[in-house]
Structures are given as structure tokens and as C-alpha cells.
């Protein structure tokens, strides 16, 4: 497995945010993380990215404990796109993407042909080559999210972790962004708010409820009418989409 979490516990003071969470992210696949607000999704992602240390439990990358991996080595392998990522408004797009090469450069190394190649490939994958010289503040919300992903891809990661990257985007840009992530040759772990988007694009789902795993499996196995009622507290009908064959949720008034 690419990323494995075993019985994770995360506490803030006396409050338990995550309690006994286990998961496996398969290489080259998209793992979707779902749950109501406050269920622990962002905390779990930050643990998986190595930004926080679990109170108990273990996270491994290909069997190696993430705690034994150096910060720079980890940054070369795992890229994290935060929900509210910010960037200096005075930078050009290409300069923002170049920031992703920082983990690969030492204090004494100059900019290399390999760095140029990584940046160009990242811009191309994100579909933002034509915006390379635009100023950051001139971009739309969807374009900014694509550039954040391009910066993450410039790290040349094997794992990409994203915290609700479609928030505050219109539907067109949400779908476009998820298509982009699904097409990438990396293992991705992504927290999503829209359950139908998760059903469309994710290979496997984990549902959190009050810091515990409420369900795990394929979208077909996880997204049931019972789970929607018990975890998300909504009445809905779940049918198989005639377009993509995945579950489609129809919310009831």
C-alpha cells in the first residue's frame, strides 16, 4: 500500500478528535474522505501529510513509519493542498509553481534543467501553461486551485493529499478540478463535501463520524440510504447512474 494508517488517535488537550482510524490508500488510486463538518477530516489529512504527529497509532509509507522520514524527504514524496491555501498576490503563476521545487534543492544548488522540466510538466498537467506569466491576483478561483495543484505536482510527489479543493468553486470548475486530480499518475487522498462528486471520481471511500470510521469501501458499498440518514442526517434515494454507473444520490425534501 502507498499510505497506511493503523489505529490513529489524535487529541487536542483532553478532546479526542480522531479515535482508532485505520485506512489504506492504494497506489495510483483516489481515496475519498467524507464526513460531516467537525468529523475530523482535516485533522486526518494533516496527520497523513506528516504535518502533525498522532497521539497514538502509526502511519507508514510503503511500510516505513512516517515518523522516521526526514522533513525534506517527506516533502519530496507527499504534497498537501490545503483548503485555504494562500499565495503572495504579487507573484506570477510560474513563480508560484516554482515554489514546489523547494524540497528538491539544497542551499547551494542552482536552478536546474530538472527543475524546469518539473515546473513545465506541472503547468501542462494542470492545464495552465497559457497562464504562466499572469499575476496570481488576476486568476479566478478555479484557476488558483489548479495552480495550487500545479505547485504540488512540481514537488514530483507520489502521494497527493487535498483538503476540500472544490470549496467555493462553481460546478463547472469543481468537475474540471476533480477530473484533473483523477487523471494524475499519483496516489490521491481527497476530502470532499459533495457526496455525488465523491461517488463519481473516487475509487474508495472512508466516512468519518465524530472521529471514527463509520464506513469504508467502494462508493457502491458505502453510499447507502441508511448511512446518509445515520451519519449525514438527510433523507435520500440512492440509484445507479445511467451515465457513469456509480451511485447517484437524490436528496428528498
Amino acid at each position: 500500500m502507498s499510505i497506511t494508517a493503523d489505529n490513529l488517535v489524535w487529541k487536542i488537550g483532553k478532546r479526542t478528535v480522531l479515535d482508532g482510524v485505520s485506512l489504506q490508500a492504494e497506489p495510483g488510486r483516489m481515496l475519498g474522505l467524507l464526513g460531516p463538518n467537525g468529523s475530523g477530516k482535516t485533522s486526518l489529512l494533516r496527520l497523513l501529510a506528516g504535518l502533525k504527529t498522532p497521539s497514538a497509532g502509526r502511519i507508514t509509507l510503503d511500510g516505513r513509519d512516517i515518523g522516521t522520514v526526514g522533513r525534506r524527504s517527506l516533502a519530496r514524496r507527499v504534497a498537501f493542498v490545503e483548503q485555504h491555501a494562500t499565495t503572495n498576490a504579487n507573484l506570477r503563476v510560474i513563480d508560484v509553481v516554482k515554489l514546489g521545487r523547494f524540497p528538491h534543492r539544497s542551499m547551494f544548488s542552482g536552478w536546474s534543467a530538472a527543475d524546469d522540466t518539473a515546473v513545465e510538466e506541472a503547468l501542462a498537467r494542470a492545464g495552465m501553461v497559457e497562464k504562466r506569466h499572469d499575476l496570481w491576483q488576476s486568476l479566478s478561483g478555479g484557476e488558483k486551485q489548479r495552480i495550487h495543484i500545479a505547485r504540488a505536482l512540481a514537488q514530483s510527489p507520489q502521494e497527493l493529499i487535498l483538503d476540500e479543493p472544490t470549496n467555493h468553486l462553481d460546478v463547472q470548475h469543481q468537475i474540471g478540478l476533480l477530473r484533473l486530480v483523477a487523471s494524475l499518475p499519483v496516489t490521491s487522498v481527497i476530502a470532499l463535501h459533495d457526496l455525488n462528486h465523491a461517488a463519481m471520481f473516487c475509487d474508495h471511500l472512508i466516512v468519518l463520524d465524530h472521529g471514527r470510521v463509520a464506513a469504508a469501501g467502494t462508493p457502491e458499498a458505502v453510499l447507502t440510504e441508511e448511512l446518509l440518514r445515520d451519519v449525514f442526517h438527510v433523507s435520500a434515494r440512492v440509484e445507479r447512474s445511467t451515465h457513469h454507473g456509480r451511485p447517484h444520490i437524490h436528496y428528498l425534501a
Side-chain angles (χ1 to χ4, degrees):
M1 291 296 171
S2 180
I3 302 178
T4 300
D6 183 28
N7 204 30
L8 291 183
V9 176
W10 168 244
K11 296 183 178 182
I12 300 177
K14 295 182 178 180
R15 183 170 70 92
T16 300
V17 179
L18 296 169
D19 188 4
V21 173
S22 297
L23 61 83
Q24 293 179 329
E26 298 181 4
R29 312 276 277 179
M30 185 188 292
L31 172 62
L33 187 59
L34 306 175
N37 290 339
S39 59
K41 298 189 298 296
T42 295
S43 296
L44 178 55
L45 293 181
R46 294 181 72 82
L47 290 173
L48 296 177
L51 300 177
K52 299 288 185 181
T53 302
S55 305
R58 187 168 181 249
I59 300 169
T60 59
L61 291 172
D62 293 336
R64 182 181 177 186
D65 193 308
I66 197 173
T68 68
V69 181
R71 301 295 300 178
R72 184 177 289 270
S73 296
L74 186 62
R76 289 178 185 145
R77 169 153 185 174
V78 180
F80 183 37
V81 179
E82 298 186 70
Q83 183 177 159
H84 301 295
T86 58
T87 297
N88 188 317
N90 294 322
L91 292 179
R92 296 179 304 161
V93 162
I94 192 167
D95 295 322
V96 173
V97 179
K98 283 182 176 181
L99 294 173
R101 296 304 297 166
F102 179 78
H104 296 270
R105 304 176 66 226
S106 71
M107 184 182 300
F108 305 105
S109 65
W111 191 260
S112 69
D115 293 322
D116 274 330
T117 298
V119 169
E120 292 303 321
E121 288 181 351
L123 282 167
R125 284 199 174 276
M128 297 300 289
V129 172
E130 294 182 358
K131 296 286 185 177
R132 58 189 298 128
H133 296 301
D134 289 11
L135 290 176
W136 173 258
Q137 65 188 110
S138 72
L139 301 179
S140 68
E143 289 169 340
K144 286 179 178 178
Q145 288 292 63
R146 282 179 171 265
I147 293 304
H148 280 308
I149 291 175
R151 180 174 63 181
L153 292 178
Q155 291 178 226
S156 303
Q158 295 179 49
E159 289 84 21
L160 181 62
I161 297 176
L162 306 102
D163 189 5
E164 299 199 10
T166 58
N167 265 11
H168 311 302
L169 300 182
D170 60 34
V171 173
Q172 176 188 359
H173 287 118
Q174 290 178 26
I175 297 296
L177 195 71
L178 291 172
R179 282 178 177 156
L180 165 62
V181 174
S183 72
L184 298 174
V186 298
T187 302
S188 55
V189 182
I190 180 170
L192 290 170
H193 182 73
D194 190 299
L195 304 183
N196 279 316
H197 288 171
M200 288 172 62
F201 291 100
C202 296
D203 301 296
H204 194 91
L205 298 176
I206 298 283
V207 179
L208 292 180
D209 187 25
H210 295 97
R212 292 176 175 267
V213 176
T218 64
E220 292 81 3
V222 167
L223 294 175
T224 65
E225 295 174 6
E226 292 77 15
L227 178 124
L228 296 174
R229 181 189 65 236
D230 296 341
V231 175
F232 294 95
H233 307 294
V234 295
S235 297
R237 185 176 70 256
V238 180
E239 298 177 347
R240 187 68 63 90
S241 170
T242 57
H243 177 63
H244 49 68
R246 300 287 190 98
H248 184 79
I249 299 167
H250 300 271
Y251 294 101
L252 304 178

